[in-house]
Amino acid sequence: MNMSNLKLKFATFILFIFNLSISQTKIPPSLKQFEDEPVKYIGEITTDKKFYDGNLPHVNGASHYQIFRANRNHPSEPGKEGWTYNHQPYIAYWNGKFYVQWIQGKVHEHVPPTRTVLSTSKDGKTWSNPIVLFPEYELPTIIDGEDTIKAKTKAVMHHRMGFYVAPNGKLLSLGFYGFAANPKKAPNTGKGIGRVVREIKKDGSLGPIYFIRYNTGWNENNTNFPFYKKSNDKEFISACDSLLNNKLITLQWWEEDRSQNGFYPINPSIVFDGEKFVQLNEAGKAFCFYTTPDSVTVGLWKFGFAALSPDKGKTWTKIVQCKTLLPTGAKIWGQKTKDGKYALIYNHSPTKRNRFPMAILIGNDGHTFDKLYAVRGDVPPKRYMGLSKNPGVQYFRGIIEGNGDPPGNYLWVVYSVNKEDIWISRITIPITAEEKNEIDENFENIRDIIELDRWNLYKPAWGDIIISYDKKQGKCLQLKDEEPYDYVYAEKIFPASKSKTISFKFKTLSLPIGSVIEIEVQDQKGNRALKLTIDRTWMWFDIGSISTEPLKINPFEWNSVIIDVDCEKKHYTISVNNKKYKTKIPINDNPSVVERIIFRTGTYRNYVPLDVAEKGAPKTTGFENEDLPGSETKSKPIIFLIDDIKTSSKINEF
């Protein structure tokens, strides 16, 4: 019998002992009920692979802010050259401030040099330029099987945990220095150097870097930073000790560590396949957890693996794969929300390959989830080539239990886009896709867009959404866009109706030649009833197979628009500046109701390319695309004002 079989039999025996100990204690009701499938989706809605948002209903109240925009030649982070691989973000809220850290690589995934950077924000909307949190690390000569890593090669950072707020109030940030002999060998196989830690202090300064745990073969004598016990700060040592003793929190470390010396209560790669325990290399990755009403911990890993613990991570039920989830190789995030419900955020992908849409499942008990919505569907083009830079919105992480509680009724989640930009979304609680109240908004009582809880706002770093002031209209909503490969939008959901009157006013302060504003009315399945396209001279009504004569306007003055949509009669009428357009215009896509309006500084881009929709995005080699030209400087600004938006379900007669 070889060593791997002995290890598997030993791990199976340990799992048997753990389950035996569970059976001899008082069993929470949900433990037995859900041990064979800890998490399941029981809703009727499914994702449509032809659309980036899956044609799912949009969450009512999700604001998306870009924390970091990769830029090689004009970087916001330290150094003369920007790092264009940015991935694996983590978030905490501490001392009245948001903290987000993530890994950077110069160009590629798993190719040195790499480092970890940190950005902060008071409101989640405006973020500081990144600072280096864990710098590049120089390796000695390492012989790794058939491969040799020569001295002075840089380490490859890879970690599945970012922050820990200790019981004594200290904020710790952590990272992991690993290595990869080549890009095909990931640094998370247990062969790395070890995990490092440093304190983030209230004044923003950073404490020294220490190792908090070594991988096999590494110690104080052959590493570049001291062991944490060497610190002169007793409170810092106490914070590290409490972290090391928290078996639930440190289970996040297993993937890079894979120690079998008893530090971890389970080996998460030992999975029950329905008949027997098997070892799967893809299991046990990217652990997260939350607690159910009967104090059961639900543990989640990549690929939909899950297990339950009745004692805060000391013992676990068998790890199984949840059949009703449609995960990719990206992370799954789960948490309890402030209204007592539960949310899962991940790529609920029909192909199980495409890292979109950014979907959210909602349930009442932490085990069964019956609602499925799109948080965000937008996937802008990837600007920089790079090895294994999967396209899409991916690797979601919220605030782990114990790592802070931001004010307000929101769920905050960070993620990367195309593995090059870092974003954050704020989702209003209760999380729903419906709206009971008609729109009646003139923005006069709004001080900041943060107050627009039930709007869906999308703000890249080179864009802005603000409450502006106009001499004629007073306060209004302003969209500003200087992003050459993305847009800015504001979306508002309203009560579903077969017939709807929608009115608003708009004005452009800047609209460069060749650019357009688009205004769309849709249902919550993504069917596009109508689109207004505004350029410097005309308003167009063309969409799909619908083609009409344009209407001449002056977009640099305030324009008043009234639209009457009738889904039963399959047409709409429009009045601009109190003048009715000459004909009834057929609606597109034949929706049975209309439910949302979108104001956007660019063209519609929700269609997934046919080959990607059918087969899934291929694993990127990094060299199948050129870098997008002109992406490193701002474009001429589009500035668009919106005011006096109203809806009603009774059609006006002209």
Side-chain angles (χ1 to χ4, degrees):
M1 182 177 292
N2 61 35
M3 185 60 67
S4 62
N5 285 335
L6 283 173
K7 289 179 180 178
L8 182 59
K9 284 184 175 292
F10 177 74
T12 303
F13 173 74
I14 294 298
L15 282 168
F16 171 77
I17 296 297
F18 282 163
N19 284 310
L20 181 63
S21 67
I22 289 173
S23 67
Q24 293 174 345
T25 61
K26 185 177 180 180
I27 301 175
S30 66
L31 199 70
K32 279 294 183 182
Q33 183 180 356
F34 296 105
E35 66 175 338
D36 291 331
E37 193 171 7
V39 171
K40 61 175 68 176
Y41 172 57
I42 61 173
E44 296 179 355
I45 295 176
T46 59
T47 47
D48 188 330
K49 60 188 177 183
K50 299 189 296 295
F51 299 90
Y52 283 110
D53 67 357
N55 262 16
L56 297 175
H58 290 187
V59 163
N60 185 3
S63 295
H64 316 292
Y65 306 116
Q66 192 173 38
I67 295 174
F68 173 82
R69 182 189 190 277
N71 191 321
R72 181 168 292 137
N73 291 321
H74 305 286
S76 61
E77 72 269 38
K80 294 181 180 179
E81 186 179 48
W83 297 42
T84 56
Y85 170 83
N86 296 273
H87 198 40
Q88 294 197 52
Y90 298 91
I91 181 173
Y93 185 81
W94 179 77
N95 194 34
K97 191 181 291 186
F98 291 95
Y99 294 80
V100 170
Q101 61 124 290
W102 66 93
I103 293 173
Q104 287 194 317
K106 273 289 181 74
V107 178
H108 307 292
E109 181 174 80
H110 297 167
V111 176
T114 61
R115 66 188 184 186
T116 298
V117 296
L118 173 73
S119 185
T120 63
S121 173
K122 290 184 177 180
D123 60 7
K125 179 182 68 171
T126 304
W127 290 82
S128 66
N129 288 337
I131 61 171
V132 175
L133 186 60
F134 295 109
E136 302 168 50
Y137 185 101
E138 193 171 282
L139 296 170
T141 298
I142 299 170
I143 299 176
D144 177 27
E146 298 177 356
D147 301 296
T148 299
I149 298 174
K150 296 181 179 180
K152 295 187 178 181
T153 299
K154 300 294 178 69
V156 176
M157 298 208 77
H158 186 289
H159 45 268
R160 301 302 198 194
M161 175 184 173
F163 298 103
Y164 177 69
V165 178
N168 63 8
K170 295 269 189 185
L171 175 62
L172 305 181
S173 188
L174 295 101
F176 179 83
Y177 286 114
F179 55 82
N182 60 66
K184 294 182 180 180
K185 292 194 174 183
N188 57 334
T189 60
K191 295 182 179 180
I193 300 166
R195 199 164 308 273
V196 285
V197 62
R198 73 190 307 182
E199 181 185 355
I200 301 173
K201 301 183 179 181
K202 289 185 178 180
D203 63 0
S205 62
L206 303 174
I209 300 174
Y210 297 92
F211 275 96
I212 190 172
R213 181 169 168 81
Y214 299 106
N215 277 33
T216 301
W218 300 92
N219 53 54
E220 291 182 83
N221 298 323
N222 58 6
T223 51
N224 298 353
F225 302 116
F227 192 52
Y228 81 97
K229 290 287 189 180
K230 297 289 186 179
S231 173
N232 295 322
D233 186 340
K234 293 182 179 179
E235 290 296 308
F236 172 74
I237 294 175
S238 175
C240 292
D241 286 340
S242 69
L243 171 56
L244 286 165
N245 290 326
N246 192 322
K247 295 304 180 184
L248 190 56
I249 297 294
T250 56
L251 192 52
Q252 298 172 98
W253 300 358
W254 178 87
E255 183 176 344
E256 296 98 357
D257 189 322
R258 304 192 184 223
S259 168
Q260 297 185 35
N261 64 2
F263 181 80
Y264 299 102
I266 56 171
N267 180 345
S269 67
I270 307 298
V271 177
F272 190 73
D273 69 357
E275 296 181 357
K276 59 185 182 301
F277 291 101
V278 295
Q279 183 160 356
L280 299 177
N281 291 330
E282 70 269 25
K285 296 181 177 181
F287 174 71
C288 78
F289 67 91
Y290 56 84
T291 306
T292 65
D294 60 353
S295 299
V296 167
T297 299
V298 177
L300 294 169
W301 291 267
K302 275 188 177 187
F303 299 102
F305 291 109
L308 305 175
S309 172
D311 49 18
K312 298 183 179 179
K314 295 177 183 177
T315 59
W316 292 86
T317 62
K318 56 185 179 289
I319 298 174
V320 297
Q321 197 163 25
C322 301
K323 301 179 181 65
T324 56
L325 303 184
L326 300 176
T328 65
K331 295 178 181 178
I332 297 175
W333 173 253
Q335 74 169 76
K336 186 177 182 179
T337 56
K338 290 185 178 181
D339 59 351
K341 294 190 176 183
Y342 292 84
L344 299 182
I345 299 178
Y346 69 107
N347 301 123
H348 191 79
S349 169
T351 64
K352 292 191 176 183
R353 290 183 61 180
N354 290 331
R355 295 190 173 183
F356 50 80
M358 179 181 179
I360 187 167
L361 273 64
I362 304 297
N364 294 323
D365 60 5
H367 299 288
T368 55
F369 295 80
D370 60 348
K371 300 292 190 300
L372 173 61
Y373 309 133
V375 176
R376 149 182 178 154
D378 291 271
V379 180
K382 182 168 57 178
R383 302 187 303 279
Y384 298 100
M385 56 81 78
L387 293 168
S388 299
K389 285 185 65 180
N390 305 69
V393 183
Q394 55 196 290
Y395 268 57
F396 309 107
R397 277 297 178 261
I399 299 174
I400 203 167
E401 291 179 12
N403 277 2
D405 184 15
N409 290 320
Y410 308 111
L411 186 161
W412 294 87
V413 59
V414 293
Y415 49 93
S416 73
V417 175
N418 298 329
K419 295 190 180 181
E420 66 184 22
D421 301 325
I422 305 298
W423 284 75
I424 188 168
S425 291
R426 187 197 74 172
I427 307 167
T428 300
I429 298 170
I431 300 170
T432 179
E434 297 178 350
E435 177 56 62
K436 296 179 180 179
N437 299 316
E438 299 283 1
I439 306 174
D440 187 5
E441 184 60 80
N442 61 13
F443 304 102
E444 292 301 325
N445 296 320
I446 305 297
R447 293 170 295 177
D448 189 276
I449 64 166
I450 289 290
E451 300 173 24
L452 297 175
D453 284 1
R454 291 299 181 182
W455 283 73
N456 295 339
L457 306 177
Y458 181 85
K459 191 189 88 62
W462 285 358
D464 208 356
I465 306 176
I466 63 171
I467 300 299
S468 182
Y469 182 81
D470 177 82
K471 290 182 179 179
K472 180 178 180 180
Q473 286 293 123
K475 285 186 177 182
C476 53
L477 190 67
Q478 176 180 297
L479 311 185
K480 182 178 180 181
D481 178 7
E482 296 177 280
E483 169 58 65
Y485 287 102
D486 208 345
Y487 48 51
V488 178
Y489 73 70
E491 174 184 283
K492 187 72 177 78
I493 297 169
F494 48 75
S497 178
K498 295 179 180 179
S499 62
K500 184 72 68 172
T501 297
I502 306 166
S503 63
F504 57 88
K505 296 174 182 176
F506 75 88
K507 175 184 178 181
T508 61
L509 300 181
S510 176
L511 191 60
I513 295 173
S515 58
V516 295
I517 302 291
E518 288 191 348
I519 302 167
E520 290 197 14
V521 176
Q522 304 175 356
D523 68 6
Q524 278 284 56
K525 296 178 181 178
N527 293 309
R528 306 160 69 199
L530 65 95
K531 178 180 72 173
L532 312 182
T533 303
I534 299 159
D535 62 21
R536 294 170 62 89
T537 307
W538 303 94
M539 177 184 289
W540 303 78
F541 313 107
D542 299 345
I543 179 175
S545 61
I546 308 302
S547 182
T548 62
E549 292 296 320
L551 181 67
K552 194 165 187 177
I553 61 168
N554 181 357
F556 301 102
E557 296 179 351
W558 279 103
N559 290 269
S560 177
V561 177
I562 301 174
I563 304 170
D564 287 322
V565 188
D566 192 326
C567 294
E568 289 187 322
K569 295 180 180 178
K570 302 186 185 306
H571 67 241
Y572 68 95
T573 60
I574 185 166
S575 172
V576 179
N577 299 325
N578 296 318
K579 185 176 180 180
K580 187 178 179 182
Y581 186 72
K582 58 184 179 181
T583 60
K584 295 176 180 178
I585 305 171
I587 63 174
N588 189 65
D589 286 345
N590 292 325
S592 59
V593 296
V594 288
E595 297 174 84
R596 65 192 187 215
I597 185 168
I598 302 100
F599 302 91
R600 186 174 57 229
T601 62
T603 57
Y604 178 84
R605 62 170 188 227
N606 197 28
Y607 296 125
V608 177
L610 182 61
D611 58 334
V612 175
E614 292 300 326
K615 300 178 182 179
K619 186 173 178 61
T620 171
T621 64
F623 301 101
E624 74 278 7
N625 300 112
E626 297 289 339
D627 293 351
L628 293 183
S631 68
E632 303 196 325
T633 56
K634 293 181 178 180
S635 59
K636 293 181 179 180
I638 298 171
I639 304 176
F640 182 52
L641 305 181
I642 313 160
D643 202 12
D644 292 342
I645 309 168
K646 295 183 180 182
T647 62
S648 65
S649 295
K650 181 180 179 181
I651 289 184
N652 293 328
E653 297 296 334
F654 292 97

